[in-house]
Amino acid sequence: AVAQGGSPRATLAVAAVSRAAAFLQGRDYVLPEDVYQFFRDTVAHRLILTDAGETGDPVGDVLKSVRPPRLG
């Protein structure tokens, strides 16, 4: 569904917006929820999709397929 994925700059943007979200919530650490909240808006416009990707939800598929880290 994705012909070309996000660049390294897209990854940096996701990290920056996640840190900003955590800061605005009064935390000095990022939670998976911070990433999930802004991932779609930060990455979706950077992807080049195939015809199948135009009708599906490739960004949602990525979010569903990546498990958050666990402590311990």
Side-chain angles (χ1 to χ4, degrees):
V2 177
Q4 183 174 342
S7 68
R9 285 179 49 194
T11 304
L12 294 174
V14 170
V17 75
S18 299
R19 285 192 309 269
F23 175 78
L24 291 174
Q25 294 294 320
R27 290 183 269 111
D28 60 353
Y29 53 91
V30 173
L31 296 173
E33 291 80 17
D34 299 323
V35 178
Y36 292 149
Q37 182 178 2
F38 296 103
F39 184 82
R40 182 179 305 275
D41 295 331
T42 307
V43 173
H45 70 282
R46 300 171 189 263
L47 302 178
I48 298 174
L49 303 177
T50 64
D51 291 337
E54 294 289 337
T55 60
D57 183 20
V59 176
D61 294 341
V62 169
L63 288 173
K64 290 176 192 170
S65 69
V66 177
R67 295 184 340 177
R70 294 183 353 205
L71 295 175

